[in-house]
Amino acid sequence: DAGVTQSPTHLIKTRGQQVTLRCSPKSGHDTVSWYQQALGQGPQFIFQYYEEEERQRGNFPDRFSGHQFPNYSSELNVNALLLGDSALYLCASSLSGGPNQPQHFGDGTRLSIL
Amino acid sequence: AQSVTQLDSHVSVSEGTPVLLRCNYSSSYSPSLFWYVQHPNKGLQLLLKYTSAATLVKGINGFEAEFKKSETSFHLTKPSAHMSDAAEYFCVVSDPVSNTGKLIFGQGTTLQVKP
């Protein structure tokens, strides 16, 4: 049973570029959440997708956008990259969301902005 | 607003001695609380969860946590530390207002285990 898979594992971009990160949820899960983890910090919630729609959004600018596909996989897009966007981006999946549903995390994509 | 505070940024123990990682929460509702562990360059692994059932929660790898409403605490313990326990530990509360399972993380506690 495959867990949450993310690609790529590492990525290097320059300021102003755009990036797309990908996530496949754990088998049987239909909800995908994205988190940003800066170095030495706890993860911060970016947004959550359910039924192909953004269900909730954290305190992130519109440069951060996403998408969920019919097979429940998801993409995170970041435009006009800033140095401060350097972080580990984590994808988590769960069954239908909800506060009691544990979320399963992938190993993340390490994004470095030069 | 919901939040968690991890009281120690670093904890160092010797192998074979008990582990205590402290967490206080703030929530206007009956909270759902979790502990996650993160090994270097890896994602987060769920250790245990509290969702208003038994106040003493047993997790994986010998960890357990006790929910104390009167103290608004959810401390993580293990009777005997192993070298493999060295990692970053996060206390997490699930946002009950949005009902989407949005997770709010503490700042993390780095556990060092000395031989």
Side-chain angles (χ1 to χ4, degrees):
Chain A
D1 178 22
V4 179
T5 58
Q6 293 186 242
S7 63
T9 55
H10 293 84
L11 205 49
I12 300 175
K13 292 286 187 179
T14 57
R15 283 178 295 174
Q17 286 189 310
Q18 177 265 343
V19 68
T20 297
L21 311 182
R22 295 176 175 83
C23 172
S24 293
K26 180 179 170 66
S27 178
H29 287 182
D30 57 7
T31 302
V32 173
S33 301
W34 287 92
Y35 293 81
Q36 180 195 65
Q37 185 178 19
L39 199 62
Q41 304 290 318
Q44 299 288 317
F45 176 79
I46 302 174
F47 43 52
Q48 183 184 90
Y49 277 84
Y50 174 69
E51 293 188 341
E52 301 181 49
E53 294 199 357
E54 183 182 289
R55 183 158 71 173
Q56 188 180 11
R57 188 178 185 89
N59 189 25
F60 279 81
D62 291 345
R63 297 187 297 109
F64 290 77
S65 63
H67 189 77
Q68 186 179 35
F69 299 94
N71 66 353
Y72 307 120
S73 66
S74 177
E75 288 181 350
L76 164 65
N77 301 292
V78 187
N79 295 322
L81 287 165
L82 304 174
L83 292 178
D85 295 331
S86 294
L88 180 67
Y89 289 84
L90 294 163
C91 171
S93 72
S94 62
L95 184 59
S96 302
N100 295 335
Q101 291 293 331
Q103 296 190 25
H104 296 253
F105 284 81
D107 286 344
T109 295
R110 174 75 61 187
L111 177 62
S112 299
I113 311 301
L114 303 180
Chain B
Q2 281 60 238
S3 66
V4 288
T5 302
Q6 294 183 242
L7 302 175
D8 307 290
S9 58
H10 288 84
V11 169
S12 181
V13 301
S14 296
E15 190 175 21
T17 64
V19 175
L20 170 64
L21 305 183
R22 300 182 296 162
C23 172
N24 287 350
Y25 70 89
S26 172
S27 177
S28 304
Y29 303 84
S30 181
S32 293
L33 293 160
F34 307 83
W35 276 96
Y36 281 85
V37 62
Q38 185 176 36
H39 288 91
N41 299 314
K42 301 291 283 185
L44 295 147
Q45 181 183 21
L46 178 66
L47 282 177
L48 49 81
K49 66 174 182 176
Y50 167 77
T51 56
S52 73
T55 57
L56 182 62
V57 182
K58 294 188 183 297
I60 63 172
N61 300 335
F63 284 96
E64 57 182 45
E66 186 171 8
F67 175 75
K68 292 187 176 180
K69 186 175 181 179
S70 60
E71 299 176 10
T72 62
S73 69
F74 189 57
H75 302 335
L76 182 70
T77 60
K78 183 173 181 178
S80 176
H82 295 158
M83 295 297 294
S84 60
D85 294 329
E88 190 79 10
Y89 291 79
F90 292 97
C91 182
V92 184
V93 64
S94 181
D95 179 18
V97 176
S98 64
N99 203 37
T100 61
K102 167 188 170 183
L103 298 180
I104 300 166
F105 285 77
Q107 287 293 93
T109 298
T110 302
L111 176 64
Q112 179 186 23
V113 182
K114 297 178 288 187

